[in-house]
Amino acid sequence: MAKKRSGLASLTPIQGRNSTKTGIFPARVRFCILDEKTDNVVFKKAGEWGAIGGIYFSKLDTPNQDPNFTSDYFAKPLFPNDKTYPLENEIVYILPLPNSNVQGSVNDVSFYYFQPVNIWNSNHHNAIPNPIGKSGLPLSQQQDYQQTSNGVVRRVTDGGTEIELGDTFKERLNIKPLQPYEGDIIKEGRWGQSLRFGSTVKNAATPNMWSKVGEDGDPITILRNAQFDDGKDPWIPQVEDINKEGSAIYFTSTQTVPIEVSSKSYKSYSTAPTTPDKFAGEQIILNSGRLVFNTKEDSILFSSKDSINLNAVNSVNIDAPKTILQSDNVYLGDKNASEPVILGNKFLTDMSKLLTQLIALGTALQVPVGTPVPGVPHPAIPVPATNVTQTAIEMLNKIETYKSKVSKTK
């Protein structure tokens, strides 16, 4: 349930700010407007849907500001296409810049905020209580903050997560930062997601799984959705591991990625392809608990210069109203299959004709010789016998044509 905001009853509409309010200053986030339910009154006064992502803040030098909301304590995200929504108690920098009234007055400005300040060097959150001190925090929280030679650090060791971060955001103590390497560009989410624009680093102090081949500087891009438990303290950075982490996509250039695939039987090949964990070069690896490929309008097209391999532990299933294989050679059961498949319609047509004639001959032979004239062959026998013989000769002469020239089985 959302916490009830207090002291917001006497709101005033946002007014334009003049150019006398200049300069960048730090502020503490009171809350961020994410929808019309965050705080209905503030939502309406701050511009309704135009206020989404905006924050209500207090200045650091006035921590006990009047809780009543005014335009002097509201700021919107600075960048339109790259937004990091801050949490309650995170610190941001605020600056005044032109607003939508700029055509009427260049002095009419509004407040905008940068992304949160990296107080704890944490990708999970960087909130800090107000203030940190024996008089301002309960004892359980005071113990989370340790004094080092470089200042205060937050290292929760007792499992407590009492810091106020908002209505729904719950702190997790196992979210780790990503281990950086020289030249990396890294984007990290708050829950262990990451995007690394990295490279091969052969002699890094902290080794990784993709730098065993290639040269330093060979590019690699790694998109990871969830980190894994490595048993280390949460403030120690983690290196990606495709066999342990959640869903991931690896884009390589020269690297090998030692992925442990679920099935690696390549008996259908005379010369098997290089296994995924040994291949060095350009490849895209998708690894997850499940992969779904779906089209709503058109087709799924797979194209390969060499081969397309379907490899599974249990089975390969195809469910469709119609299955078409257009190929010069189809081998069923084994790559060395040599037995041609019979052409069903052609064979059955001729076999049906032969069987019909055999039935007629058999029926005629059921009447004993000498009937109706003793010692004289039955007149009903020669015709069907001749037909059966002729049909059998014809089928024998074209016996090879019943075999498929494409499909072979074992």
Side-chain angles (χ1 to χ4, degrees), residues 236-362:
I236 299 177
Q238 185 178 90
V239 182
E240 297 96 331
D241 187 328
I242 195 169
N243 297 312
K244 299 177 180 178
E245 61 206 8
S247 300
I249 305 177
Y250 282 59
F251 301 83
T252 70
S253 58
T254 63
Q255 299 85 0
T256 60
V257 178
I259 181 174
E260 299 170 0
V261 295
S262 298
S263 178
K264 50 184 177 181
S265 174
Y266 302 102
K267 295 180 180 179
S268 62
Y269 288 86
S270 298
T271 302
T274 304
T275 56
D277 60 323
K278 296 294 191 298
F279 182 84
E282 295 180 4
Q283 65 175 331
I284 298 175
I285 302 175
L286 290 86
N287 190 48
S288 184
R290 178 173 177 171
L291 299 177
V292 177
F293 297 88
N294 179 66
T295 62
K296 296 194 299 182
E297 299 295 337
D298 206 89
S299 305
I300 294 177
L301 305 176
F302 293 96
S303 177
S304 173
K305 187 176 181 179
D306 191 356
S307 65
I308 294 175
N309 176 262
L310 299 177
N311 211 313
V313 175
N314 293 322
S315 65
V316 175
N317 296 33
I318 300 176
D319 296 295
K322 181 169 58 177
T323 301
I324 300 172
L325 296 176
Q326 175 65 47
S327 177
D328 293 334
N329 290 280
V330 177
Y331 296 86
L332 304 175
D334 189 85
K335 62 178 177 291
N336 296 316
S338 58
E339 293 292 330
V341 174
I342 295 297
L343 298 179
N345 288 338
K346 186 175 183 180
F347 176 77
L348 290 177
T349 298
D350 287 348
M351 178 60 74
S352 177
K353 180 180 178 182
L354 178 62
L355 291 175
T356 300
Q357 293 173 354
L358 282 172
I359 291 172
L361 177 60

Side-chain angles (χ1 to χ4, degrees), residues 1-24:
M1 180 180 294
K3 296 192 294 291
K4 183 178 180 181
R5 311 290 180 187
S6 60
L8 299 175
S10 57
L11 301 183
T12 58
I14 293 182
Q15 303 295 327
R17 298 175 177 83
N18 57 52
S19 59
T20 61
K21 296 187 176 182
T22 60
I24 300 176

Side-chain angles (χ1 to χ4, degrees), residues 120-140:
W120 306 119
N121 197 27
S122 169
N123 52 303
H124 186 44
H125 79 78
N126 285 279
I128 183 170
N130 181 21
I132 294 178
K134 293 183 179 180
S135 61
L137 288 177
L139 179 61
S140 60

Side-chain angles (χ1 to χ4, degrees), residues 390-402:
Q390 183 62 36
T391 299
I393 292 173
E394 291 176 356
M395 290 183 66
L396 182 62
N397 288 338
K398 61 179 182 179
I399 195 70
E400 290 295 321
T401 66
Y402 295 119

Side-chain angles (χ1 to χ4, degrees), residues 55-94:
I55 60 169
Y56 177 39
F57 64 85
S58 60
K59 296 181 179 180
L60 289 186
D61 57 357
T62 56
N64 298 317
Q65 79 173 59
D66 187 332
N68 291 337
F69 175 83
T70 71
S71 60
D72 288 334
Y73 298 102
F74 176 78
K76 294 190 295 185
L78 177 60
F79 302 111
N81 304 112
D82 186 5
K83 300 172 183 175
T84 300
Y85 296 115
L87 298 170
E88 182 178 333
N89 279 315
E90 287 191 317
I91 307 300
V92 297
Y93 267 94
I94 308 290

